[in-house]
Structure formats: structure tokens, C-alpha cells
Amino acid sequence: MSVRTFESPVFVRASEDLIQEIACLEDAFDFLDEWPKHRRGMVYETAKRACHRAFDGLIPLKVARDAFAGFARSVKILEDVATTMPWITPRQSGETGGVAA
């Protein structure tokens, strides 16, 4: 695991049919760099600045992850994968995940 990998990824709706996993600073930079210039604002700038500061080791990685998630929430692209993709939710105690015989 890279020292720039988030403890838990952020999932964003990149398009109507695509949910993208943002798992590290590099993913966040790529996504933010592709974000349309006419849609950038203060929350975008804050997220980008936080990612740069985390990259430079000036703030914890969690702060950058939370700033990116806040940006995604503010532009309404943050996805809750537990409700979007139920097959990746944690198993309940006692479930084996095998095929019934």
C-alpha cells in the first residue's frame, strides 16, 4: 500500500453510467484536473489545495481525503457504495458466501 493511499476510498459518479473509485492522492489529482473549469469553485480549490498539502506531507492524508469527499458531496457526485452496489457490503456474521449445494 502506498503512503498516499486513502484509508478508505471515495466513490464518485463520474458519468451517468460510471462510478469511479478515488483510492489515493494520485486518483484525486487526476479527477480534479479533469473537472470542468467552469464548474470549479471555492470547495474545489480547497480540495485541490488539501491534496497538494498532503502530498507535500504538511497535513494528514485523511484531511485531504475528507476535503475531496466534501468537494464531491458539494457538487452532488459523492456515491454511497453500500446502497449503490450491495454485493460489496460486508458479510453478516455466519455467512459463508459459498454456493448452496
Side-chain angles (χ1 to χ4, degrees):
M1 179 191 309
S2 167
V3 295
R4 295 186 180 130
T5 300
F6 297 149
E7 187 173 309
S8 62
V10 177
F11 292 90
V12 294
R13 181 161 299 279
S15 69
E16 186 65 33
D17 299 327
L18 177 66
I19 295 175
Q20 185 173 343
E21 178 184 42
I22 307 299
C24 61
L25 281 177
E26 289 78 7
D27 293 345
F29 283 129
D30 289 344
F31 190 88
L32 291 168
D33 288 344
E34 294 295 321
W35 191 250
K37 290 184 180 175
H38 70 277
R39 294 190 64 196
R40 297 177 184 184
M42 291 297 292
V43 179
Y44 167 90
E45 294 299 332
T46 299
K48 185 124 183 193
R49 186 171 43 253
C51 289
H52 280 289
R53 294 187 74 206
F55 184 85
D56 292 339
L58 300 173
I59 63 172
L61 193 58
K62 181 181 182 342
V63 173
R65 183 222 176 266
D66 291 348
F68 182 86
F71 156 73
R73 186 177 304 103
S74 76
V75 295
K76 299 179 179 16
I77 61 169
L78 184 65
E79 286 292 320
D80 179 4
V81 295
T83 57
T84 305
M85 296 178 271
W87 57 87
I88 67 170
T89 58
R91 292 187 181 142
Q92 298 297 321
S93 178
E95 290 184 9
T96 62
V99 177

Coordinates of all heavy atoms in Angstrom, one line a residue:
M1 N 0.9 -1.2 0.0 CA 0.0 0.0 0.0 C 0.9 1.2 0.0 O 1.8 1.4 0.8 CB -0.9 0.0 1.2 CG -1.8 1.2 1.3 SD -2.7 1.6 2.8 CE -3.6 0.1 3.1
S2 N 0.6 2.2 -0.9 CA 1.3 3.4 -1.0 C 1.0 4.3 0.3 O -0.1 4.3 0.8 CB 0.9 4.2 -2.2 OG 1.4 5.5 -2.2
V3 N 2.0 5.1 0.6 CA 1.8 6.1 1.7 C 0.8 7.1 1.3 O 0.3 7.9 2.2 CB 3.1 6.7 2.2 CG1 4.0 5.7 2.8 CG2 3.8 7.5 1.1
R4 N 0.4 7.2 0.1 CA -0.5 8.2 -0.4 C -1.9 7.6 -0.7 O -2.7 8.2 -1.3 CB 0.0 8.8 -1.7 CG 1.3 9.7 -1.4 CD 1.7 10.4 -2.6 NE 2.9 11.2 -2.3 CZ 4.0 11.2 -3.0 NH1 4.1 10.5 -4.1 NH2 5.0 11.9 -2.7
T5 N -2.1 6.3 -0.3 CA -3.4 5.6 -0.4 C -4.3 6.0 0.7 O -3.9 5.9 1.9 CB -3.2 4.1 -0.5 OG1 -2.3 3.8 -1.6 CG2 -4.5 3.4 -0.7
F6 N -5.5 6.3 0.4 CA -6.5 6.6 1.4 C -6.8 5.4 2.3 O -6.8 4.3 1.8 CB -7.8 7.2 0.8 CG -7.6 8.5 0.1 CD1 -8.4 8.8 -1.0 CD2 -6.7 9.4 0.4 CE1 -8.3 10.0 -1.7 CE2 -6.5 10.6 -0.3 CZ -7.3 10.9 -1.3
E7 N -7.2 5.6 3.5 CA -7.6 4.5 4.4 C -8.8 3.9 3.9 O -9.0 2.7 3.9 CB -7.8 5.1 5.8 CG -8.1 4.0 6.8 CD -8.2 4.6 8.2 OE1 -7.3 5.3 8.6 OE2 -9.2 4.2 8.9
S8 N -9.7 4.7 3.3 CA -10.9 4.1 2.6 C -11.2 5.0 1.4 O -11.0 6.2 1.5 CB -12.2 4.1 3.6 OG -12.5 5.4 4.0
P9 N -11.5 4.4 0.3 CA -11.7 5.2 -0.9 C -13.0 6.0 -0.9 O -13.9 5.8 -0.1 CB -11.8 4.1 -2.0 CG -12.3 2.9 -1.3 CD -11.7 2.9 0.1
V10 N -13.0 7.0 -1.8 CA -14.2 7.8 -2.0 C -14.7 7.4 -3.4 O -13.9 7.2 -4.3 CB -13.8 9.3 -2.1 CG1 -15.0 10.2 -2.4 CG2 -13.1 9.7 -0.8
F11 N -16.0 7.2 -3.5 CA -16.6 6.8 -4.7 C -17.4 8.0 -5.3 O -18.2 8.6 -4.5 CB -17.5 5.6 -4.6 CG -16.8 4.4 -4.2 CD1 -16.5 4.0 -2.9 CD2 -16.3 3.5 -5.3 CE1 -15.8 2.9 -2.6 CE2 -15.6 2.4 -5.0 CZ -15.3 2.1 -3.7
V12 N -17.2 8.3 -6.5 CA -17.9 9.4 -7.2 C -18.5 9.0 -8.5 O -18.1 8.1 -9.1 CB -16.9 10.6 -7.5 CG1 -16.3 11.2 -6.2 CG2 -15.7 10.2 -8.4
R13 N -19.6 9.7 -8.8 CA -20.3 9.4 -10.1 C -19.6 10.2 -11.1 O -19.8 11.4 -11.2 CB -21.8 9.7 -10.0 CG -22.5 9.4 -11.3 CD -24.0 9.3 -11.2 NE -24.4 8.2 -10.3 CZ -24.5 6.9 -10.7 NH1 -24.2 6.6 -11.9 NH2 -25.0 6.0 -9.8
A14 N -18.8 9.6 -11.9 CA -18.0 10.3 -13.0 C -18.9 10.6 -14.2 O -18.6 11.5 -14.9 CB -16.8 9.4 -13.4
S15 N -19.9 9.7 -14.4 CA -20.8 10.0 -15.5 C -22.1 9.2 -15.2 O -22.2 8.5 -14.1 CB -20.2 9.5 -16.8 OG -20.1 8.1 -16.9
E16 N -23.1 9.3 -16.0 CA -24.3 8.6 -15.8 C -24.2 7.1 -15.5 O -24.9 6.5 -14.7 CB -25.3 8.8 -17.0 CG -26.7 8.3 -16.8 CD -27.5 9.0 -15.7 OE1 -27.2 10.2 -15.5 OE2 -28.3 8.4 -15.0
D17 N -23.2 6.5 -16.2 CA -23.1 5.0 -16.1 C -21.8 4.6 -15.4 O -21.5 3.4 -15.4 CB -23.1 4.4 -17.5 CG -24.4 4.7 -18.3 OD1 -25.4 4.7 -17.6 OD2 -24.3 4.9 -19.5
L18 N -21.1 5.5 -14.8 CA -19.8 5.2 -14.3 C -19.6 5.7 -12.8 O -19.7 6.9 -12.6 CB -18.6 5.7 -15.2 CG -17.2 5.5 -14.7 CD1 -16.9 4.0 -14.6 CD2 -16.2 6.2 -15.6
I19 N -19.3 4.8 -11.9 CA -18.9 5.2 -10.6 C -17.4 4.9 -10.5 O -16.9 3.8 -10.8 CB -19.7 4.4 -9.5 CG1 -21.2 4.8 -9.6 CG2 -19.1 4.7 -8.1 CD1 -22.0 4.1 -8.6
Q20 N -16.7 6.0 -10.1 CA -15.2 5.9 -10.1 C -14.7 5.8 -8.6 O -15.2 6.6 -7.8 CB -14.6 7.1 -10.8 CG -13.2 7.1 -10.9 CD -12.7 8.2 -11.8 OE1 -13.4 8.9 -12.5 NE2 -11.4 8.5 -11.7
E21 N -13.8 5.0 -8.4 CA -13.1 4.9 -7.1 C -11.9 5.8 -7.0 O -11.0 5.7 -7.9 CB -12.7 3.4 -6.8 CG -12.0 3.2 -5.5 CD -11.5 1.8 -5.3 OE1 -10.9 1.2 -6.3 OE2 -11.6 1.3 -4.2
I22 N -11.9 6.6 -6.0 CA -10.8 7.5 -5.7 C -10.1 6.9 -4.5 O -10.5 7.1 -3.4 CB -11.2 9.0 -5.5 CG1 -12.1 9.5 -6.7 CG2 -10.0 9.9 -5.3 CD1 -11.4 9.5 -8.0
A23 N -9.0 6.2 -4.7 CA -8.3 5.5 -3.6 C -7.1 6.1 -3.1 O -6.5 5.7 -2.1 CB -8.0 4.0 -4.1
C24 N -6.5 7.1 -3.8 CA -5.3 7.7 -3.4 C -5.2 9.1 -3.9 O -6.0 9.6 -4.6 CB -4.1 6.9 -3.9 SG -4.1 6.8 -5.8
L25 N -4.1 9.8 -3.5 CA -3.9 11.2 -3.9 C -3.8 11.3 -5.4 O -4.4 12.2 -6.0 CB -2.7 11.8 -3.3 CG -2.8 12.2 -1.8 CD1 -1.4 12.7 -1.3 CD2 -3.8 13.3 -1.7
E26 N -3.1 10.4 -6.0 CA -3.0 10.4 -7.5 C -4.3 10.4 -8.2 O -4.6 11.1 -9.2 CB -2.0 9.3 -8.0 CG -0.6 9.5 -7.6 CD -0.2 9.2 -6.1 OE1 -1.1 8.6 -5.4 OE2 0.9 9.4 -5.7
D27 N -5.2 9.5 -7.7 CA -6.6 9.4 -8.3 C -7.3 10.7 -8.1 O -8.0 11.2 -9.0 CB -7.4 8.3 -7.6 CG -6.9 6.9 -7.9 OD1 -6.1 6.7 -8.8 OD2 -7.3 6.0 -7.1
A28 N -7.2 11.3 -6.9 CA -7.8 12.6 -6.6 C -7.3 13.7 -7.5 O -8.1 14.5 -8.1 CB -7.6 13.0 -5.1
F29 N -6.0 13.8 -7.7 CA -5.4 14.8 -8.6 C -5.9 14.6 -10.0 O -6.3 15.5 -10.7 CB -3.9 14.7 -8.6 CG -3.2 15.3 -7.4 CD1 -2.3 14.6 -6.7 CD2 -3.5 16.6 -7.0 CE1 -1.6 15.1 -5.6 CE2 -2.9 17.1 -5.9 CZ -2.0 16.4 -5.2
D30 N -5.9 13.3 -10.5 CA -6.4 13.1 -11.9 C -7.9 13.5 -12.0 O -8.2 14.2 -13.0 CB -6.3 11.6 -12.2 CG -4.9 11.1 -12.4 OD1 -4.0 12.0 -12.6 OD2 -4.7 9.9 -12.4
F31 N -8.7 13.2 -11.1 CA -10.1 13.6 -11.1 C -10.3 15.1 -11.1 O -11.0 15.7 -11.9 CB -10.9 12.9 -10.0 CG -12.4 13.1 -10.1 CD1 -13.1 12.1 -10.9 CD2 -13.1 14.1 -9.6 CE1 -14.5 12.3 -11.0 CE2 -14.4 14.3 -9.8 CZ -15.1 13.4 -10.5
L32 N -9.6 15.7 -10.2 CA -9.7 17.2 -10.0 C -9.2 17.9 -11.3 O -9.8 18.9 -11.7 CB -9.0 17.7 -8.8 CG -9.6 17.2 -7.4 CD1 -8.7 17.5 -6.3 CD2 -11.0 17.9 -7.2
D33 N -8.1 17.4 -11.8 CA -7.6 18.0 -13.0 C -8.5 17.9 -14.2 O -8.5 18.8 -15.1 CB -6.2 17.4 -13.4 CG -5.1 17.8 -12.5 OD1 -5.3 18.7 -11.7 OD2 -4.1 17.1 -12.5
E34 N -9.3 16.9 -14.3 CA -10.3 16.7 -15.4 C -11.6 17.4 -15.1 O -12.4 17.5 -16.0 CB -10.6 15.2 -15.6 CG -9.4 14.4 -16.0 CD -9.0 14.8 -17.4 OE1 -9.8 15.1 -18.3 OE2 -7.7 14.9 -17.7
W35 N -11.8 17.9 -13.9 CA -13.1 18.6 -13.6 C -13.2 19.8 -14.4 O -12.2 20.6 -14.6 CB -13.1 18.9 -12.1 CG -14.4 19.4 -11.6 CD1 -14.8 20.7 -11.2 CD2 -15.6 18.6 -11.5 NE1 -16.1 20.7 -10.8 CE2 -16.6 19.4 -11.0 CE3 -15.9 17.3 -11.7 CZ2 -17.9 19.0 -10.7 CZ3 -17.2 16.8 -11.4 CH2 -18.2 17.7 -11.0
P36 N -14.4 20.1 -15.0 CA -14.6 21.2 -15.9 C -14.2 22.6 -15.2 O -14.7 22.8 -14.1 CB -16.0 21.2 -16.3 CG -16.5 19.8 -16.0 CD -15.6 19.3 -14.9
K37 N -13.5 23.4 -15.9 CA -13.0 24.7 -15.4 C -14.2 25.6 -15.0 O -14.2 26.2 -14.0 CB -12.1 25.4 -16.3 CG -10.8 24.7 -16.4 CD -9.8 25.4 -17.3 CE -8.6 24.6 -17.3 NZ -7.5 25.0 -18.1
H38 N -15.3 25.5 -15.7 CA -16.4 26.4 -15.4 C -17.2 25.9 -14.2 O -18.1 26.7 -13.7 CB -17.4 26.5 -16.7 CG -18.1 25.2 -17.0 ND1 -17.6 24.2 -17.7 CD2 -19.4 24.9 -16.7 CE1 -18.5 23.2 -17.8 NE2 -19.6 23.6 -17.2
R39 N -16.9 24.7 -13.7 CA -17.6 24.2 -12.5 C -16.7 24.3 -11.3 O -17.1 23.8 -10.2 CB -18.1 22.8 -12.7 CG -19.1 22.7 -13.8 CD -19.8 21.3 -13.9 NE -20.5 21.0 -12.6 CZ -20.9 19.8 -12.3 NH1 -20.6 18.8 -13.1 NH2 -21.5 19.6 -11.2
R40 N -15.5 24.8 -11.4 CA -14.6 24.9 -10.2 C -15.0 26.1 -9.4 O -15.4 27.1 -9.9 CB -13.2 25.0 -10.7 CG -12.7 23.8 -11.5 CD -11.3 24.0 -12.0 NE -11.0 22.8 -12.9 CZ -9.8 22.6 -13.4 NH1 -8.8 23.5 -13.2 NH2 -9.6 21.6 -14.2
G41 N -14.8 25.9 -8.1 CA -15.2 27.0 -7.1 C -14.3 26.9 -5.9 O -13.3 26.2 -5.9
M42 N -14.8 27.5 -4.8 CA -14.0 27.5 -3.6 C -13.8 26.1 -3.0 O -12.7 25.8 -2.5 CB -14.7 28.4 -2.6 CG -14.6 29.9 -2.9 SD -13.0 30.5 -3.0 CE -12.5 30.4 -1.3
V43 N -14.9 25.3 -3.0 CA -14.7 23.9 -2.5 C -13.8 23.1 -3.3 O -13.0 22.4 -2.7 CB -16.1 23.3 -2.3 CG1 -16.0 21.9 -1.8 CG2 -17.1 24.1 -1.5
Y44 N -13.8 23.2 -4.6 CA -12.9 22.6 -5.5 C -11.4 23.0 -5.1 O -10.6 22.2 -5.0 CB -13.2 22.9 -6.9 CG -12.1 22.5 -7.9 CD1 -12.1 21.3 -8.5 CD2 -11.0 23.4 -8.2 CE1 -11.0 20.9 -9.3 CE2 -10.0 23.0 -9.0 CZ -10.0 21.8 -9.6 OH -9.0 21.4 -10.5
E45 N -11.2 24.3 -5.0 CA -9.9 24.8 -4.7 C -9.4 24.3 -3.3 O -8.2 24.0 -3.2 CB -9.9 26.4 -4.7 CG -10.1 26.9 -6.1 CD -9.1 26.6 -7.2 OE1 -7.9 26.3 -6.8 OE2 -9.4 26.5 -8.4
T46 N -10.3 24.3 -2.4 CA -9.9 23.8 -1.0 C -9.5 22.3 -1.1 O -8.5 21.9 -0.5 CB -11.1 23.9 -0.1 OG1 -11.4 25.3 0.0 CG2 -10.8 23.4 1.3
A47 N -10.3 21.5 -1.9 CA -9.9 20.1 -2.0 C -8.6 19.9 -2.7 O -7.7 19.1 -2.3 CB -11.0 19.4 -2.8
K48 N -8.4 20.7 -3.8 CA -7.1 20.6 -4.5 C -5.9 21.0 -3.6 O -4.9 20.4 -3.6 CB -7.2 21.4 -5.8 CG -6.0 21.3 -6.6 CD -6.3 20.9 -8.0 CE -5.1 20.7 -8.8 NZ -5.4 20.5 -10.2
R49 N -6.1 22.1 -2.9 CA -5.0 22.6 -2.0 C -4.7 21.6 -0.9 O -3.6 21.3 -0.6 CB -5.4 23.9 -1.4 CG -4.3 24.6 -0.6 CD -4.7 26.0 -0.2 NE -6.0 26.2 0.3 CZ -7.0 26.9 -0.4 NH1 -6.7 27.4 -1.6 NH2 -8.2 27.0 0.1
A50 N -5.8 20.9 -0.3 CA -5.6 19.9 0.7 C -4.8 18.7 0.1 O -3.9 18.2 0.8 CB -6.9 19.5 1.2
C51 N -5.1 18.3 -1.1 CA -4.4 17.2 -1.7 C -2.9 17.6 -1.9 O -2.0 16.7 -1.7 CB -5.0 16.8 -3.0 SG -6.6 16.0 -2.8
H52 N -2.6 18.8 -2.4 CA -1.3 19.2 -2.6 C -0.5 19.2 -1.2 O 0.6 18.8 -1.1 CB -1.2 20.6 -3.2 CG -1.4 20.5 -4.7 ND1 -0.4 20.0 -5.6 CD2 -2.4 20.9 -5.5 CE1 -0.9 20.1 -6.8 NE2 -2.1 20.6 -6.8
R53 N -1.2 19.7 -0.2 CA -0.5 19.8 1.1 C -0.3 18.4 1.7 O 0.8 18.2 2.3 CB -1.4 20.7 2.1 CG -1.4 22.2 1.6 CD -2.1 23.1 2.5 NE -1.1 23.3 3.6 CZ -1.5 23.6 4.8 NH1 -2.8 23.8 5.1 NH2 -0.6 23.8 5.8
A54 N -1.2 17.5 1.5 CA -1.0 16.1 1.9 C 0.2 15.5 1.1 O 1.0 14.8 1.7 CB -2.2 15.3 1.8
F55 N 0.2 15.8 -0.1 CA 1.3 15.2 -1.0 C 2.7 15.7 -0.5 O 3.6 15.0 -0.5 CB 1.1 15.7 -2.4 CG 2.1 15.1 -3.4 CD1 1.9 13.9 -4.0 CD2 3.2 15.9 -3.7 CE1 2.8 13.4 -4.9 CE2 4.1 15.4 -4.6 CZ 4.0 14.1 -5.2
D56 N 2.7 17.0 0.0 CA 3.9 17.6 0.5 C 4.2 17.2 1.9 O 5.2 17.6 2.5 CB 3.9 19.1 0.4 CG 3.9 19.5 -1.1 OD1 4.4 18.8 -2.0 OD2 3.5 20.7 -1.3
G57 N 3.3 16.4 2.6 CA 3.5 16.0 3.9 C 3.1 17.0 5.0 O 3.5 16.9 6.1
L58 N 2.4 18.1 4.6 CA 2.1 19.1 5.5 C 0.8 18.9 6.3 O 0.7 19.5 7.4 CB 2.0 20.5 4.7 CG 3.3 20.9 4.0 CD1 3.0 22.1 3.1 CD2 4.4 21.1 4.9
I59 N 0.0 18.1 5.8 CA -1.3 17.7 6.5 C -1.5 16.2 6.4 O -1.0 15.6 5.5 CB -2.5 18.5 6.0 CG1 -2.8 18.2 4.6 CG2 -2.3 20.0 6.2 CD1 -4.1 18.7 4.0
P60 N -2.3 15.6 7.3 CA -2.5 14.2 7.2 C -3.3 13.8 5.9 O -4.1 14.6 5.4 CB -3.4 13.9 8.4 CG -3.1 15.0 9.4 CD -2.8 16.2 8.5
L61 N -3.1 12.6 5.4 CA -3.8 12.1 4.2 C -5.3 12.1 4.4 O -6.1 12.4 3.5 CB -3.3 10.7 3.9 CG -3.6 10.1 2.6 CD1 -3.1 11.0 1.5 CD2 -3.0 8.8 2.5
K62 N -5.7 11.8 5.7 CA -7.2 11.8 6.0 C -7.8 13.2 5.7 O -9.0 13.2 5.3 CB -7.4 11.3 7.4 CG -8.9 11.3 7.8 CD -9.1 10.8 9.2 CE -10.5 10.7 9.6 NZ -11.6 11.3 8.8
V63 N -7.1 14.2 6.0 CA -7.7 15.6 5.8 C -7.9 15.8 4.3 O -8.9 16.3 3.9 CB -6.7 16.7 6.4 CG1 -7.2 18.0 6.0 CG2 -6.6 16.5 7.9
A64 N -6.9 15.4 3.5 CA -7.1 15.5 2.0 C -8.3 14.6 1.5 O -9.1 15.1 0.7 CB -5.8 15.1 1.3
R65 N -8.4 13.4 2.0 CA -9.5 12.5 1.6 C -10.8 13.2 2.0 O -11.7 13.2 1.2 CB -9.3 11.2 2.3 CG -10.4 10.2 1.9 CD -10.9 9.4 3.1 NE -11.9 8.5 2.7 CZ -13.2 8.8 2.8 NH1 -13.6 10.0 3.2 NH2 -14.1 7.9 2.5
D66 N -10.9 13.7 3.2 CA -12.1 14.3 3.6 C -12.5 15.6 2.8 O -13.6 15.8 2.5 CB -12.1 14.6 5.1 CG -12.1 13.4 6.0 OD1 -12.4 12.3 5.5 OD2 -11.8 13.5 7.2
A67 N -11.4 16.3 2.5 CA -11.7 17.5 1.6 C -12.2 17.1 0.3 O -13.1 17.7 -0.3 CB -10.4 18.3 1.5
F68 N -11.6 16.0 -0.3 CA -12.1 15.6 -1.6 C -13.5 15.1 -1.5 O -14.3 15.4 -2.4 CB -11.1 14.5 -2.2 CG -11.6 14.0 -3.5 CD1 -11.2 14.7 -4.7 CD2 -12.5 12.9 -3.7 CE1 -11.6 14.3 -5.9 CE2 -12.9 12.5 -4.9 CZ -12.5 13.2 -6.0
A69 N -13.8 14.3 -0.5 CA -15.2 13.8 -0.3 C -16.1 15.0 -0.1 O -17.3 15.0 -0.6 CB -15.2 12.9 0.9
G70 N -15.7 16.1 0.6 CA -16.5 17.2 0.8 C -16.8 17.9 -0.6 O -17.9 18.4 -0.8
F71 N -15.8 18.0 -1.4 CA -16.0 18.6 -2.7 C -17.0 17.7 -3.5 O -17.9 18.3 -4.1 CB -14.6 18.6 -3.5 CG -14.8 18.6 -5.0 CD1 -15.2 19.7 -5.7 CD2 -14.5 17.4 -5.7 CE1 -15.4 19.7 -7.0 CE2 -14.6 17.4 -7.1 CZ -15.1 18.5 -7.7
A72 N -16.8 16.4 -3.5 CA -17.7 15.5 -4.2 C -19.2 15.7 -3.7 O -20.1 15.7 -4.5 CB -17.3 14.1 -4.1
R73 N -19.3 15.8 -2.4 CA -20.7 16.0 -1.8 C -21.2 17.3 -2.3 O -22.4 17.4 -2.6 CB -20.6 15.9 -0.3 CG -21.9 16.0 0.4 CD -21.8 15.9 1.9 NE -21.1 14.7 2.4 CZ -19.8 14.7 2.8 NH1 -19.1 15.8 2.9 NH2 -19.2 13.5 3.2
S74 N -20.4 18.4 -2.3 CA -20.9 19.7 -2.6 C -21.4 19.8 -4.1 O -22.3 20.6 -4.4 CB -19.9 20.8 -2.4 OG -18.8 20.7 -3.3
V75 N -20.8 19.0 -5.0 CA -21.2 19.0 -6.4 C -22.1 17.8 -6.7 O -22.4 17.5 -7.9 CB -20.0 19.1 -7.3 CG1 -19.3 20.4 -7.2 CG2 -19.1 17.9 -7.2
K76 N -22.6 17.1 -5.6 CA -23.6 16.1 -5.7 C -23.1 14.9 -6.6 O -23.9 14.3 -7.4 CB -24.9 16.6 -6.2 CG -25.5 17.7 -5.2 CD -26.8 18.2 -5.7 CE -27.4 19.2 -4.8 NZ -26.7 19.9 -3.8
I77 N -21.9 14.5 -6.5 CA -21.4 13.3 -7.2 C -20.9 12.2 -6.2 O -20.4 11.2 -6.7 CB -20.3 13.7 -8.2 CG1 -19.1 14.3 -7.5 CG2 -20.8 14.5 -9.3 CD1 -17.9 14.4 -8.4
L78 N -20.9 12.5 -4.9 CA -20.5 11.5 -3.9 C -21.5 10.3 -3.9 O -22.7 10.5 -3.9 CB -20.4 12.1 -2.5 CG -19.9 11.3 -1.4 CD1 -18.4 10.9 -1.7 CD2 -20.0 12.0 -0.1
E79 N -20.9 9.1 -4.0 CA -21.8 7.9 -4.0 C -21.6 7.1 -2.8 O -20.4 6.9 -2.3 CB -21.4 7.0 -5.2 CG -21.9 7.6 -6.5 CD -23.4 7.6 -6.7 OE1 -24.0 6.6 -6.3 OE2 -24.0 8.5 -7.2
D80 N -22.6 6.6 -2.2 CA -22.6 5.7 -1.1 C -22.7 4.3 -1.7 O -23.7 3.8 -2.1 CB -23.8 5.9 -0.2 CG -23.8 5.0 1.0 OD1 -22.9 4.2 1.1 OD2 -24.8 5.0 1.8
V81 N -21.5 3.6 -1.8 CA -21.5 2.3 -2.5 C -22.2 1.2 -1.7 O -22.6 0.2 -2.3 CB -20.0 1.9 -2.8 CG1 -19.4 2.8 -3.8 CG2 -19.2 1.7 -1.6
A82 N -22.4 1.4 -0.5 CA -23.1 0.4 0.3 C -24.6 0.3 -0.2 O -25.2 -0.8 -0.2 CB -23.1 0.7 1.8
T83 N -25.1 1.4 -0.6 CA -26.5 1.4 -1.2 C -26.5 1.2 -2.7 O -27.4 0.7 -3.3 CB -27.3 2.6 -0.8 OG1 -26.6 3.8 -1.3 CG2 -27.5 2.7 0.7
T84 N -25.5 1.7 -3.4 CA -25.4 1.6 -4.8 C -25.1 0.2 -5.3 O -25.6 -0.3 -6.2 CB -24.4 2.6 -5.4 OG1 -24.7 3.9 -4.9 CG2 -24.4 2.6 -6.9
M85 N -24.1 -0.4 -4.6 CA -23.6 -1.8 -5.0 C -23.6 -2.7 -3.8 O -22.6 -2.9 -3.1 CB -22.2 -1.6 -5.6 CG -22.1 -0.8 -6.8 SD -20.5 -0.6 -7.4 CE -20.0 0.9 -6.6
P86 N -24.8 -3.3 -3.5 CA -24.9 -4.1 -2.3 C -24.1 -5.3 -2.2 O -23.8 -5.8 -1.2 CB -26.4 -4.4 -2.2 CG -26.9 -4.3 -3.6 CD -26.0 -3.2 -4.3
W87 N -23.6 -5.8 -3.4 CA -22.8 -7.0 -3.4 C -21.4 -6.8 -2.8 O -20.7 -7.8 -2.5 CB -22.7 -7.6 -4.8 CG -22.1 -6.6 -5.7 CD1 -20.8 -6.4 -6.0 CD2 -22.8 -5.7 -6.6 NE1 -20.6 -5.4 -6.9 CE2 -21.8 -5.0 -7.3 CE3 -24.1 -5.4 -6.8 CZ2 -22.2 -4.0 -8.2 CZ3 -24.5 -4.5 -7.7 CH2 -23.5 -3.8 -8.4
I88 N -21.0 -5.6 -2.5 CA -19.7 -5.3 -1.9 C -19.8 -5.0 -0.4 O -18.8 -4.6 0.2 CB -18.9 -4.3 -2.6 CG1 -19.5 -2.9 -2.5 CG2 -18.6 -4.7 -4.1 CD1 -18.6 -1.8 -3.1
T89 N -21.0 -5.0 0.2 CA -21.1 -4.7 1.6 C -20.6 -5.9 2.4 O -20.5 -7.0 1.9 CB -22.6 -4.5 2.0 OG1 -23.4 -5.7 1.6 CG2 -23.2 -3.3 1.3
P90 N -20.1 -5.6 3.6 CA -19.5 -6.7 4.5 C -20.6 -7.8 4.8 O -21.7 -7.5 4.9 CB -19.2 -5.9 5.7 CG -19.2 -4.5 5.4 CD -20.1 -4.3 4.2
R91 N -20.1 -9.0 4.9 CA -20.9 -10.1 5.2 C -21.4 -10.1 6.6 O -20.7 -9.6 7.5 CB -20.2 -11.4 5.0 CG -19.9 -11.7 3.5 CD -19.3 -13.1 3.4 NE -19.0 -13.3 2.0 CZ -18.0 -13.9 1.6 NH1 -17.1 -14.5 2.4 NH2 -17.8 -14.1 0.3
Q92 N -22.6 -10.6 6.9 CA -23.1 -10.7 8.2 C -22.4 -11.9 8.9 O -22.0 -12.8 8.2 CB -24.6 -10.9 8.2 CG -25.3 -9.7 7.6 CD -25.2 -8.5 8.4 OE1 -25.1 -8.5 9.6 NE2 -25.0 -7.3 7.7
S93 N -22.3 -11.9 10.2 CA -21.7 -13.0 10.9 C -22.5 -14.3 10.6 O -23.7 -14.3 10.5 CB -21.9 -12.7 12.4 OG -21.4 -13.8 13.2
G94 N -21.7 -15.3 10.3 CA -22.3 -16.6 10.0 C -22.5 -16.9 8.5 O -22.7 -18.0 8.1
E95 N -22.4 -15.9 7.7 CA -22.5 -16.1 6.2 C -21.2 -16.6 5.7 O -20.1 -16.1 6.0 CB -22.8 -14.7 5.5 CG -24.2 -14.3 5.8 CD -24.6 -13.0 5.0 OE1 -23.8 -12.6 4.1 OE2 -25.6 -12.4 5.2
T96 N -21.2 -17.6 4.8 CA -20.0 -18.1 4.2 C -19.7 -17.6 2.9 O -18.6 -17.6 2.4 CB -20.1 -19.7 4.2 OG1 -21.2 -20.0 3.3 CG2 -20.3 -20.3 5.6
G97 N -20.7 -17.2 2.1 CA -20.5 -16.7 0.8 C -20.4 -17.7 -0.3 O -20.2 -17.5 -1.4
G98 N -20.5 -19.0 0.1 CA -20.4 -20.1 -0.8 C -21.7 -20.3 -1.6 O -22.8 -19.7 -1.3
V99 N -21.7 -21.2 -2.5 CA -22.9 -21.5 -3.3 C -23.6 -22.6 -2.6 O -23.0 -23.6 -2.1 CB -22.4 -22.0 -4.7 CG1 -23.6 -22.5 -5.5 CG2 -21.6 -20.9 -5.4
A100 N -24.9 -22.5 -2.5 CA -25.7 -23.5 -1.9 C -25.7 -24.8 -2.6 O -25.7 -24.8 -3.9 CB -27.2 -23.0 -1.7
A101 N -25.6 -25.9 -1.9 CA -25.5 -27.2 -2.5 C -26.9 -27.8 -2.8 O -27.8 -27.5 -2.2 CB -24.7 -28.2 -1.6

